[in-house]
Amino acid sequence: MKSHAKDLKLVTYNMRKAVGLDRRRDPHRILDVINRLEADVVVLQEADRRLGPRPTALPYHLLSDETDFVAVPFASNGVSLGSHGNAILVRKGLTFHAAEQLELPGLEPRGAVSVEIDGRLKLVGTHLGLLRPYRHQQMRQLAKKLAITPLPTVIMGDFNEWSPKRGFEPLEHRFDVVSPGRSFHASRPVAALDRLALSRGVELRDAGVDQSPLAKVASDHLPVWASVRLKD
């Protein structure tokens, strides 16, 4: 039987509620950054504002009018884009199902979101805590939850880990943690906070950090992208 491969371009982006380094909240600018990356799937952190009912910082009508993406429906309140600020955008034409919110342990409220893409990939977006002991708890929770899925899996997001090598031990038995480059602070990147973790069945083809002039002002993080190949 022949093996059929499928290539996808994935992006993770901490968009800081669409507030740029010029202190302006500009969702159009964030969408311009996203559109220029020509991704198939975009994982977002800090997609929703923090106060009140946590309305989205990327209005739904702008997503519809200015992009070819559909937001995976995680929020149940009608105003947020995601859960705990985590959201996933899928390019029109790709199918998705099994959208799920995941609560993560820790001192501060943290979570993750997951979705199955084209029935071939489990994609998880997350924003881990600021302290390593809590990040370890959160990674152990994710690893336990994802151990039962039969699909190849990618975890993407702001891992908040400043060390280039340490801090990912709870994932290392099943995932290959990849750091495409320094993504924070956008004005002068010194830390690779934004990463992805790949399970078996996902081949990394290429990866990098968007250092375009627009990305350097749109948020305090730069977007990270990865081209992956899935095999049956």
Side-chain angles (χ1 to χ4, degrees):
M1 179 182 294
K2 290 184 179 180
S3 176
H4 297 88
K6 182 176 180 64
D7 291 348
L8 291 172
K9 186 175 183 182
L10 310 176
V11 165
T12 180
Y13 189 18
N14 184 330
M15 49 172 278
R16 197 170 75 154
K17 310 170 198 66
V19 177
L21 300 191
D22 55 4
R23 300 186 180 182
R24 291 193 301 114
R25 190 184 305 277
D26 190 344
H28 299 278
R29 182 167 56 188
I30 292 292
L31 293 178
D32 283 345
V33 172
I34 291 172
N35 284 335
R36 292 182 186 194
L37 291 170
E38 299 183 335
D40 295 298
V41 186
V42 179
V43 173
L44 298 172
Q45 302 86 50
E46 298 193 20
D48 299 318
R49 300 169 74 168
R50 292 185 65 87
L51 301 178
R54 300 203 65 172
T56 176
L58 292 180
Y60 281 93
H61 72 275
L62 292 186
L63 283 173
S64 177
D65 292 345
E66 299 184 14
T67 79
D68 290 325
F69 290 103
V70 176
V72 177
F74 295 114
S76 58
N77 61 8
V79 296
S80 297
L81 190 66
S83 173
H84 288 290
N86 299 298
I88 298 178
L89 308 179
V90 179
R91 186 169 294 280
K92 294 175 183 176
L94 290 175
T95 62
F96 61 86
H97 65 288
E100 187 177 3
Q101 301 180 33
L102 309 174
E103 293 294 324
L104 298 180
L107 182 64
E108 52 188 325
R110 294 286 175 173
V113 291
S114 71
V115 69
E116 295 180 8
I117 306 293
D118 271 1
R120 301 179 56 136
L121 174 70
K122 182 92 165 181
L123 183 65
V124 179
T126 192
H127 189 179
L128 300 182
L130 295 174
L131 300 177
R132 185 179 287 172
Y134 294 119
R135 289 198 297 273
H136 276 196
Q137 290 181 28
Q138 292 156 7
M139 283 186 266
R140 281 193 292 268
Q141 181 85 350
L142 285 173
K144 180 179 179 181
K145 177 72 175 179
L146 296 171
I148 61 175
T149 180
L151 292 177
T153 303
V154 175
I155 305 170
M156 301 187 77
D158 182 350
F159 280 57
N160 258 323
E161 176 57 69
W162 286 70
S163 171
K165 296 182 179 180
R166 296 181 55 210
F168 310 104
E169 293 80 4
L171 296 177
E172 289 176 346
H173 69 288
R174 189 178 169 215
F175 292 90
D176 181 17
V177 179
V178 176
S179 171
R182 296 174 181 175
S183 57
F184 181 85
H185 188 277
S187 62
R188 187 179 179 183
V190 296
L193 301 187
D194 304 280
R195 292 177 164 95
L196 60 153
L198 312 176
S199 77
R200 292 182 181 179
V202 185
E203 176 188 353
L204 183 68
R205 307 285 289 177
D206 198 6
V209 179
D210 176 19
Q211 300 193 48
S212 65
L214 191 63
K216 287 182 177 180
V217 70
S219 171
D220 59 346
H221 285 245
L222 297 171
V224 165
W225 60 270
S227 295
V228 302
R229 174 162 293 179
L230 311 178
K231 291 187 177 181
D232 293 334

